Amino acid sequence: MSSIDLAVIGGTGVYRLAALADVETRHLETPYGAPSGPLRIGRIGDARVAFLARHGEGHALPPHRVNYRANLRALKDTGARRVLALNTVGGITGAYGPRVLACPDQLIDYTWGRESTFWDGEGEPLHVDFGHPYAPAFRQAVLAAARAAGVPVVDGGCYGATQGPRLETNAEIARMRRDGCDLVGMTGMPEAGLARELGLDYACLAIVANWAAGCADAGEITLAEVLDNVAAASAGLPHLVERLARG
């Protein structure tokens, strides 16, 4: 069987990867502590794929408490070279409504106080090139896998990463719209930047669970609505990941 190449990080509502067979569980420690939970490593066709639930399999970790450094380092230590991040988000602009899957190509970081680098004061800091925050070639591979699997995915868009865990105000979303954001989530950073520091090819599939504050007359956002929309938008993910793993 081939070595691990692809890792998938699941967000809110995605706590397992249904396509995985012959699953092995690994509990890892890293120099940055323990990851959010066990790594589930299994087979998709002839490919070995690792899966990690970002918030823990029982969703115990809010976005600002996730140990992003440990998560990425654990995936790197398993041998993964490509990381597909599944992020549950809100939609801001018209093409990014509930139940849409999107593969953004840009990112704005509004988070604060998170461990955003592997540099801990020893040696020279690493200033990585981050002009294109998602690895362009890998992002194209994700889009190609989606087309081959017949899964509709919106190509492009800007992800705005907010601190959380509270949802945003109408005014904050209005500012993000003016800044050029199409999507809003709480886990896109520092994850993408840390992946770049480790030399991992990293791309995001954003699962739109609801309209962001003030973007629709939908009333108060409920958890039941969010989870229903995540389930609907995620229905084609096993086929997409299978195609991606083959490549």
Side-chain angles (χ1 to χ4, degrees), residues 11-90:
T12 299
V14 185
Y15 307 114
R16 58 188 293 270
L17 198 57
L20 278 184
D22 302 329
V23 177
E24 164 199 353
T25 298
R26 292 188 191 175
H27 297 272
L28 299 182
E29 286 287 334
T30 78
Y32 309 98
S36 296
L39 269 62
R40 309 293 185 183
I41 298 171
R43 177 178 51 80
I44 298 179
D46 292 329
R48 292 180 74 210
V49 175
F51 176 80
L52 175 64
R54 183 186 290 109
H55 299 280
E57 293 179 350
H59 201 100
L61 296 168
H64 66 300
R65 295 293 189 190
V66 171
N67 190 338
Y68 296 94
R69 295 197 299 178
N71 286 353
L72 272 298
R73 177 61 183 267
L75 294 175
K76 173 84 170 181
D77 287 349
T78 67
R81 294 175 294 175
R82 304 184 297 165
V83 176
L84 176 63
L86 307 179
N87 298 82
T88 301
V89 302

Side-chain angles (χ1 to χ4, degrees), residues 175-191:
R175 178 188 67 162
M176 294 177 73
R177 184 193 294 270
R178 291 193 297 271
D179 286 348
C181 295
D182 300 291
L183 303 158
V184 56
M186 301 175 188
T187 56
M189 284 293 285
E191 194 173 271

Side-chain angles (χ1 to χ4, degrees), residues 180-232:
C181 295
D182 300 291
L183 303 158
V184 56
M186 301 175 188
T187 56
M189 284 293 285
E191 194 173 271
L194 292 169
R196 183 62 53 87
E197 284 194 7
L198 287 178
L200 295 166
D201 286 340
Y202 179 95
C204 165
L205 269 180
I207 303 167
V208 185
N210 51 269
W211 286 112
C215 293
D217 243 348
E220 185 177 346
I221 299 167
T222 67
L223 180 59
E225 172 194 5
V226 165
L227 294 179
D228 284 349
N229 288 342
V230 170

